[in-house]
Amino acid sequence: MLEPATFFLDQAEASSQIHFIYDLAAQRVVFINRAYEQVLRGTCAHVNDELPALFARLHPDELPLMQRYWQLWTQGRLHDEIDFRLRTPGGADQWLCLAPHWYQDAEGHAWLGGTLRDISVSKDNKTTNEKFSAKKNTVLEILAHDLSGAFSVMQRLTEHIQEEVVPEDNPHVAQMLGMMQNTSQKSVQMIKDLLDQEFLESSNISLNLERVDLRDKVRQCVEPLRQAPGSEARQLELVLPEEPVYAEVDVNKLQQVVSNLVGNALKFTPNERRIQVSVAPCPGCVHVAVADEGIGIPAALLPELFERFTKARRPGLRGEPTTGLGLSLCKTIVELHRGTLTVTSTEGSGSTFTVELPVTS
C-alpha cells in the first residue's frame, strides 16, 4: 500500500511549482522540491545558505508589504495568495505567486509551507493587454468627443444652410447639402453605435474617477449645440446653479451619458419646442436632468425603455436611425457611478430623464 507521505513527495518532486516546508523555530527549510532549481536557479542541498541572497533580491517596493505578510503568516493569519517581485541582475523582474500554509502541531511547534509559482509571463501579458487597452480607449475617446463632435456641428451647420439658402442658380447645391447632412448624420450614428457596443461588450469596465465641478462638464456637452446655427429653433436651454457642485465621476463616460440624452431629446422634439438641460444639487446627491417638450413615450414602452436592443426604440422625427443601445448604455454608466437613471414621460407632452449621482464635499 502506498504511504500518503511517499505519494506527496513523489507528487511534489514532479511538480513545476516550488513546494517547501520551513521550520519556524529552527529557521530552516526542511523540505524543498527540485522545481526550486528550475524556477529560482538555486541548489536544493544549499537552499538555507542561499536564503539571504534570495531575500536580498526582493524588490524594494515590495519590502514593507512583504514584512507585513510575514508577520501574518507566522501567526497563522495569512490565507490568500500573494504576488511579489524578485530583482534579476541584468534582466526583467521575476514575478512569483505564493500560496501560503501554516501548521502547528500538538506541542506548539509551528511550520510554514506552501507553493511558489513563476507568473512572470502572465504578468507581462497583463501589462501588454493594459497598454493595448489604454491605446484603444484613447482612440475611442477621440471618436467620442473630437470626431463625433465635429460631425455633429457639421450636421447642424448643414441643416441651417438648408433652411436659409435657396439654391435657385444651382440646383446641385441642394443635392450636395442633402448629401452632407446625410453623411454627417450617418457618421455620428455609426460612431455612437461603435462606442455603445464596445462599452456594453467589455468584460472589464472600469472608471477613471476624478473630483470635478459638474457644471463645467455638463456645459462642455451642451454649449456646442446651443451655439450652432439653427439650434435656437429648439430653444436648447442650460440651467446651472451659482455654486459649484462636486462629484467623483469618469468625465468621458458621464459626458457620453449627457450627450446621449440630449441627442435623444433632439431626435424627438419638434424645432419650435424647448429642451432644457439642468444641474441641481440635492441633499447628498446631484440631479442632471434633460427635459424636453417632444412627442413623449407611450406608457406601454416605459418598462422596457432601458433594456438592451429595446423594443421601445423608434426612429427620430427626422428619420434618425437607432439601435436601441443608447439608453441601456446610459443606465450602465450611471449605475457604475452608484447612481440612478429614471424617466418620466407623457405621450404628446415630452419626457424628462434624470441622472442622480452622489456628491462629494
Side-chain angles (χ1 to χ4, degrees), residues 226-301:
R226 296 183 65 215
Q227 296 175 5
S231 63
E232 67 275 6
R234 293 194 183 92
Q235 298 182 346
L236 182 59
E237 298 179 355
L238 180 60
V239 179
L240 301 174
E242 294 184 1
E243 299 296 324
V245 181
Y246 293 104
E248 285 192 350
V249 299
D250 184 312
V251 174
N252 290 329
K253 290 183 175 61
L254 180 65
Q255 289 185 331
Q256 191 173 357
V257 170
V258 176
S259 295
N260 274 351
L261 295 179
V262 174
N264 277 350
L266 291 170
K267 284 182 184 179
F268 298 107
T269 303
N271 288 349
E272 67 277 6
R273 296 190 183 179
R274 186 176 61 127
I275 297 171
Q276 183 185 87
V277 182
S278 62
V279 175
C282 302
C285 67
V286 58
H287 286 173
V288 180
V290 178
D292 65 66
E293 297 176 347
I295 62 175
I297 304 167
L301 298 181

Side-chain angles (χ1 to χ4, degrees), residues 58-76:
L58 277 169
H59 195 284
D61 294 345
E62 309 285 352
L63 285 176
L65 192 58
M66 293 304 292
Q67 289 170 351
R68 175 58 179 159
Y69 284 148
W70 176 258
Q71 292 177 352
L72 295 173
W73 194 9
T74 57
Q75 297 167 8

